[in-house]
Amino acid sequence: MRFVLRVLKALALLLVLVVVAGAAWLSVRPPELLRVGDGYAAKIVCSNVFIAGRNADDVLEDDVQAPGNPLLRLVRVSVDHDNGRVTARFMGLFASSYALYRNGLGCTSVPDGDFEAAEKAVPFDPPARMETSDASWPQGEGVGDADGKIAAVLADARLAGPAMRAIVVVRDGRIVAEAYGPGFSATTPLIGWSMTKTVNAAILGRLMLDGKISFDDDHLLAQWKDDARAKIKVSDLLGMESGLAFNENYGDVADVTRMLYLDPDMVSLPANAPMEAAPGKRFRYSSGTAVLLSRIWMDRVGNAQAAFSYPHDALFAPLGMTSAVFELDARGTFAGSSYLYATAHDWARFGQFLLQDGVWNGRRLLPEGFVGAMRTPTAASNGQYTQGQAWLAPGGGSSAAFGLPEDTFWLSGHDGQSMAIVPSANLVVVRLGLTPSWLDYRPRTLLKAILAALPPSGAPQQQAGSQQRTQAQP
């Protein structure tokens, strides 16, 4: 009996030692996967609390933990409202990661915990907040009576998809139907994830109109001047054909998650990536590419203050996107791959802007042919991706194969964000939610049902501002 007791005591001691050693290891050198999980939790909670005004516990449970990763269920967060900081820790103890809210510029991940450096990176005052009005959309937020047939389509949970948060349908320049998930409304700013890439491309297009950058520009970064990367053109980056290696696999610690949640300077990883193919020869979807484009256009603006204000001054204010918040990394580069928050109404304004060939209120804001590039497939992507950070066939297959108009093009983002633009039907459909890819939701099914429910188009489609739309030429 004494021998058994000694064995049990020894086992208990060994268990304690293992627990203590494990805790010490997690405290000193936590695995990168845990740091990514905590970084993701801190960032998502921060943005939704300080931009969207949501409850932190709801965001943790619904946005961070609900998609199903078991490790994320063990993450705990704390919010410092006075200082605009969020801390996330695995089991409330380990792999601490942080996010910081910077007034008017949203939240940034601060993986190194250096809040002082993150605050100094954007020392300027943000652009003044725009006021909304009750005028009819898109000049204001007023929306008339919904089209009953289209509203019925949006009410179909199968078509709307799991965890739908917002759907807005724009026909002939006005909102004809909209729907929102529980707890969300037309005033809730929602993340676009990779739909942000297309907005970032349009911001670059604004600079093209001013002659400060062109599709054919090369020698884009100083660190590329002495090697093959100097030959990479702006057009190669826009078409995801740069030839730079980049791992976009979200299932583990990959280049994309390392860039977003482990590096305070998002530019560093893609800027230092090796070449794996000649520019223009291989399609590789890369969030790093979009961040590089952000850094490039910011450098071309002229000075840091003007660069921080440029998305607002050049795009959001002219379009009346009063809710838009384009977030930056901890060192002051816009996260052009992922982090734009806006209401569904404002996302729809951007879609209408593209439908109108980059013209708004009679004023051309994008060069002629720029939206055409967004609708023109690249050869290396086998017709799926376009020359302007947009999709013709997200997930594969042509529009015609799904019974959709051939001129349909898409903005597409993580967790079920989508925007369909159909010039031939004068139609924009925005769908936002929290719908992971493993649920196999297809927004093309929703679009097909909406198209079937549309009444015949009336007078020629009008621009916002009552000017007739100019059709883009690919």
Side-chain angles (χ1 to χ4, degrees), residues 12-31 94:
L13 178 60
L14 178 62
L15 179 61
V16 170
L17 291 173
V18 168
V19 170
V20 171
W25 171 64
L26 288 174
S27 298
V28 176
R29 295 199 65 180
F94 307 114

Side-chain angles (χ1 to χ4, degrees), residues 27 45 50 60 92 106 122 148 165 191 199 205 207 255 257 278 282 337 347 350 379 393 415 434 440 455 458-459:
S27 298
V45 169
F50 291 103
L60 180 64
V122 285
R165 291 182 170 178
I191 189 171
V199 179
L207 274 178
D255 290 343
T257 48
R282 178 180 298 177
S337 64
W347 280 110
F350 181 72
D415 277 348
L434 189 72
D440 199 31

Side-chain angles (χ1 to χ4, degrees), residues 337-362:
S337 64
S338 313
Y339 292 146
L340 177 66
Y341 280 79
T343 63
H345 279 193
D346 276 347
W347 280 110
R349 284 183 173 92
F350 181 72
Q352 183 67 23
F353 172 61
L354 298 186
L355 184 69
Q356 295 173 181
D357 191 34
V359 175
W360 196 260
N361 285 333

Side-chain angles (χ1 to χ4, degrees), residues 145 276 375:
D145 294 337
E276 62 177 9
R375 295 170 47 195

Side-chain angles (χ1 to χ4, degrees), residues 154 159-169 177-191 195 342-348 415-419 429-435 441 443 446 450:
L154 305 193
L159 295 172
M164 177 274 289
R165 291 182 170 178
I167 301 175
V168 173
V169 180
E178 58 186 333
Y180 297 92
F184 299 90
S185 72
T187 63
T188 308
L190 296 168
I191 189 171
M195 296 203 306
T343 63
H345 279 193
D346 276 347
W347 280 110
D415 277 348
Q417 321 317 313
S418 70
M419 183 191 300
V429 178
V430 176
R431 190 271 183 193
L432 304 167
L434 189 72
T435 312
Y441 171 69
L446 171 66
I450 289 171

Side-chain angles (χ1 to χ4, degrees), residues 42-54:
K43 170 65 182 63
I44 296 302
V45 169
C46 183
S47 295
N48 278 278
V49 167
F50 291 103
I51 297 175
R54 297 175 60 203

Side-chain angles (χ1 to χ4, degrees), residues 133-147 167-170 173-180 186 344-345 348-349:
S133 80
D134 295 329
S136 296
W137 188 95
Q139 283 76 19
E141 296 302 305
V143 176
D145 294 337
D147 181 291
I167 301 175
V168 173
V169 180
V170 178
R174 70 180 188 90
I175 294 175
V176 294
E178 58 186 333
Y180 297 92
H345 279 193
R349 284 183 173 92

